[in-house]
Amino acid sequence: MKLQRMNRRALALGALAVSGALALTACGSDDTGGGSDGSSSNAAAPSNIKCDDASGQVLADGSSAQKNAVDAWVKQFSAACKVEINYKAGGSGAGVTAFTQGQVPWAGSDSALKPDEVEASKKICSGGQGIDLPMVGGPIAVGYNVPGVDKLVLDSSTIAKIFDSKITNWNDPAIAKLNPDAKLPNLKIQAFHRSDESGTTDNFTKYLIATAKKDFPYEGGKAWQAKGGQSAPQSSGVAAQVKQTAGAIGYFELSYAKDGIKTVAIDTGAAEPVEANVENATKAIADAKVVGTGKDLALELNYSTKADGAYPMVLVTYEIVCDKGNKAETLPAVKAFLRYAASEDGQKILAENDYAPMPEDIIAKVRTTVESLS
């Protein structure tokens, strides 16, 4: 009897194993490398990624501010589709140049295309032109390294003077006035800016020009123009310098404010100083207006907002692509990737990585435009 019970148990376990194997077989992959709907059998990959005919390798370049977001997207997308996405993140300026020269089929930029860049794109977009698709949002954090100071409040005028070498010490009266409870040290300020052309620089200086023009008398743009300070390449380089240099201050996308880097709260004139976080950035981006024409979805941000809880120093990264005339060999992969990035799942990943998802009315227009790419 004991032997019979053991045999019955073995048969039952075997049946479970077979049923499990059959269940896995039923989820077999199709020719996209994923499930029948284009998804990967890998449980980590979202089940609704549409691979279509995407395959091969796609090279891209541009904004380093969105690199952490792109890395998160690529991890999910590549698990579902037979596509290798290689995003260089050499900076917005490098990305736009690579796109207009036909070196990459899409680029990331924290600034919308300028008229001369649109004109240049017509040479590589057969019958079309480059367009801006707002895909990633987030606050530009001002990170600092001041021993003994765990909380710091600055306003736009003080930030402008610091980055233009007009305020050079941490115990300056202007900083002390904004931080009456802080023990500010007699320590030289080490201000770091980007050495490469950067959309982060462009948006950072747009904020200073819009709110403290008297203290920041520059035209702005992707290249740094103010006096003095030190430089480092990409957002990661600036963040690294701030982390390792006592007395340092720098600007970079919030996702780079890791491993103990403290960030400045901004006195905007609202009821309370505003912290740099995703929720506060989304409040500011929701006030943006679409100013692009046709399929171009370039936005105009309100840097001078004084709304409670709205963090005004924000950027929006655009994915730049041809509206028409995309290369046949890369269009399926680019279109599938951008479709995923703009999807509900793709936008959800942003918030999980310290980025701000696009407001629903804006991202809905992006999704429609992605489907029309040809």
Side-chain angles (χ1 to χ4, degrees):
M1 292 296 292
K2 182 177 180 181
L3 181 59
Q4 289 176 339
R5 286 196 298 270
M6 290 175 65
N7 286 339
R8 284 197 298 269
R9 184 183 180 195
L11 287 170
L13 290 172
L16 285 171
V18 170
S19 65
L22 289 172
L24 289 173
T25 302
C27 298
S29 62
D30 58 15
D31 59 2
T32 66
S36 59
D37 61 351
S39 65
S40 171
S41 59
N42 185 339
S47 61
N48 60 348
I49 292 180
K50 293 177 61 179
C51 300
D52 292 338
D53 297 322
S55 63
Q57 183 183 57
V58 174
L59 301 178
D61 198 358
S63 165
S64 65
Q66 72 163 357
K67 184 180 186 302
N68 293 334
V70 173
D71 286 348
W73 284 335
V74 167
K75 182 178 179 180
Q76 299 297 312
F77 182 75
S78 295
C81 306
K82 287 184 177 179
V83 180
E84 179 184 347
I85 305 289
N86 186 346
Y87 185 71
K88 186 177 178 181
S92 296
V96 171
T97 297
F99 175 74
T100 57
Q101 291 182 352
Q103 298 170 2
V104 297
W106 67 272
S109 176
D110 306 322
S111 300
L113 291 170
K114 296 178 180 177
D116 61 322
E117 294 168 339
V118 173
E119 194 62 32
S121 73
K122 294 179 180 179
K123 297 178 181 179
I124 57 101
C125 300
S126 180
Q129 66 179 49
I131 56 173
D132 303 287
L133 301 179
M135 201 79 82
V136 181
I140 300 174
V142 177
Y144 68 96
N145 181 347
V146 183
V149 179
D150 294 328
K151 293 184 178 181
L152 185 68
V153 175
L154 298 175
D155 57 17
S156 59
S157 175
T158 307
I159 294 172
K161 290 176 181 178
I162 287 173
F163 281 91
D164 198 27
S165 302
K166 296 171 184 173
I167 292 178
T168 59
N169 221 63
W170 279 110
N171 63 354
D172 187 276
I175 301 176
K177 183 179 180 180
L178 291 165
N179 299 274
D181 298 326
K183 295 182 179 179
L184 299 168
N186 181 14
L187 178 66
K188 182 180 179 181
I189 294 175
Q190 308 282 350
F192 285 90
H193 57 264
R194 290 281 289 271
S195 60
D196 54 320
E197 288 199 357
S198 159
T200 309
T201 294
D202 191 14
N203 284 276
F204 178 63
T205 55
K206 279 180 179 176
Y207 165 73
L208 295 178
I209 292 168
T211 59
K213 179 65 175 177
K214 180 180 177 181
D215 300 310
F216 201 79
Y218 301 97
E219 295 180 0
K222 294 177 184 176
W224 185 255
Q225 299 170 350
K227 300 174 182 177
Q230 302 178 61
S231 64
Q234 284 84 51
S235 294
S236 58
V238 174
Q241 290 297 327
V242 170
K243 182 180 178 181
Q244 68 188 24
T245 308
I249 188 170
Y251 59 91
F252 34 79
E253 212 281 331
L254 181 62
S255 66
Y256 289 91
K258 301 291 187 182
D259 302 325
I261 296 179
K262 300 177 180 66
T263 60
V264 170
I266 300 180
D267 183 347
T268 64
E272 298 289 340
V274 187
E275 300 284 347
N277 61 43
V278 170
E279 181 182 358
N280 293 343
T282 299
K283 289 179 182 178
I285 296 172
D287 196 30
K289 298 178 181 179
V290 175
V291 293
T293 58
K295 294 182 179 180
D296 187 86
L297 297 175
L299 302 177
E300 181 177 82
L301 299 168
N302 181 10
Y303 295 102
S304 57
T305 180
K306 292 180 173 60
D308 288 344
Y311 186 84
M313 198 186 302
V314 295
L315 61 76
V316 169
T317 295
Y318 300 95
E319 311 312 330
I320 295 172
V321 66
C322 296
D323 58 354
K324 297 179 182 178
N326 289 279
K327 294 180 180 179
E329 60 268 28
T330 55
L331 177 60
V334 170
K335 194 169 181 176
F337 180 72
L338 295 181
R339 177 190 294 122
Y340 167 61
S343 71
E344 185 176 344
D345 284 339
Q347 290 292 296
K348 181 180 178 181
I349 280 181
L350 295 181
E352 296 170 358
N353 288 272
D354 295 323
Y355 292 95
M358 289 294 100
E360 184 57 35
D361 60 334
I362 293 175
I363 202 65
K365 294 176 182 177
V366 172
R367 290 168 185 157
T368 299
T369 303
V370 168
E371 295 303 327
S372 71
L373 299 179
S374 62

